[in-house]
Amino acid sequence: MVWEDGGREAPSYPIMKSVSGRMSPECRCFTIKVTSRVTTKFKRDDLMIRILIADDSPAIRDGMCSLLDPTGDFQVVGLAKDGLQALEKARELRPDLVIMDSQMPNMDGVEATRHIKQTLPGIGILFFSVFADCLEAGITAGADGYLMKDCEPEELFSELRRIAAITPDGGLRATSTQRLVA
């Protein structure tokens, strides 16, 4: 079930209705008998990686949305058709990371990456290009990672998760489980 505001319903988890009083001497634990199930509802938005996609091709932007949204790990919060719009939307939406194309009108991905990293260092940037010679410029501008556009979806997902886990000072962010416990 997906709620109207985009939150998702968690799967059903068993709950304990009764516990036998016999303790196992091997593991010092109780035998638990599960007699019913409960569904826990919570919004997953705070656990999802919020992404801004910056690419001048509508087909790439739409394709990325179609690829990322169903995973449950990623939430596309904005789309930008050029570097200038990417900078504006990054300031407005404060995504966890930006998927940045290298070649765009008005402001290219290298310049947009440089500006975002100077003003919003907490936002991760994945430089995403068909041009291998542009990738080094993206990393020099401050991108946290890069991929060629012909990569496999699992490679993209893995790199997005890796970048989302990096803090501005190079450390690792708390995992979603650590954030829930804190």
Side-chain angles (χ1 to χ4, degrees):
M1 175 180 152
V2 177
W3 296 345
E4 285 182 25
D5 63 358
R8 301 192 194 292
E9 183 176 313
S12 295
Y13 295 102
I15 59 168
M16 183 174 58
K17 275 287 199 161
S18 64
V19 177
S20 72
R22 204 174 107 209
M23 200 167 185
S24 168
E26 300 83 33
C27 64
R28 295 184 168 266
C29 60
F30 283 98
T31 304
I32 299 173
K33 179 181 177 189
V34 177
T35 57
S36 70
R37 298 181 75 76
V38 66
T39 300
T40 305
K41 292 181 182 178
F42 64 96
K43 290 186 182 182
R44 291 212 30 169
D45 294 350
D46 59 330
L47 304 178
M48 298 173 91
I49 298 169
R50 301 177 68 247
I51 297 175
L52 168 64
I53 299 170
D55 199 295
D56 58 330
S57 167
I60 296 289
R61 290 192 308 264
D62 293 346
M64 291 292 281
C65 287
S66 298
L67 186 65
L68 295 172
D69 279 342
T71 67
D73 291 346
F74 308 107
Q75 178 186 25
V76 177
V77 295
L79 303 171
K81 62 184 177 184
D82 60 44
L84 202 56
Q85 196 176 52
L87 182 57
E88 292 168 3
K89 291 209 177 217
R91 287 180 181 147
E92 174 191 341
L93 301 171
R94 306 290 172 137
D96 296 317
L97 63 90
V98 178
I99 299 174
M100 184 74 71
D101 183 21
S102 59
Q103 307 266 324
M104 295 183 287
N106 297 329
M107 180 187 290
D108 68 12
V110 175
E111 194 61 30
T113 296
R114 187 174 292 113
H115 283 295
I116 290 171
K117 283 302 197 174
Q118 287 172 352
T119 58
L120 302 162
I123 295 177
I125 298 180
L126 172 66
F127 215 68
F128 200 57
S129 182
V130 294
F131 306 107
D133 57 334
C134 294
L135 298 177
E136 187 177 334
I139 296 297
T140 303
D144 300 290
Y146 66 87
L147 283 175
M148 297 297 292
K149 286 187 177 179
D150 64 353
C151 69
E152 293 295 323
E154 283 305 318
E155 188 178 5
L156 173 65
F157 302 155
S158 177
E159 188 66 4
L160 292 173
R161 288 181 188 107
R162 184 193 67 78
I163 291 171
I166 299 172
T167 62
D169 62 0
L172 293 176
R173 294 188 202 283
T175 64
S176 55
T177 303
Q178 291 168 327
R179 287 196 306 263
L180 279 173
V181 172

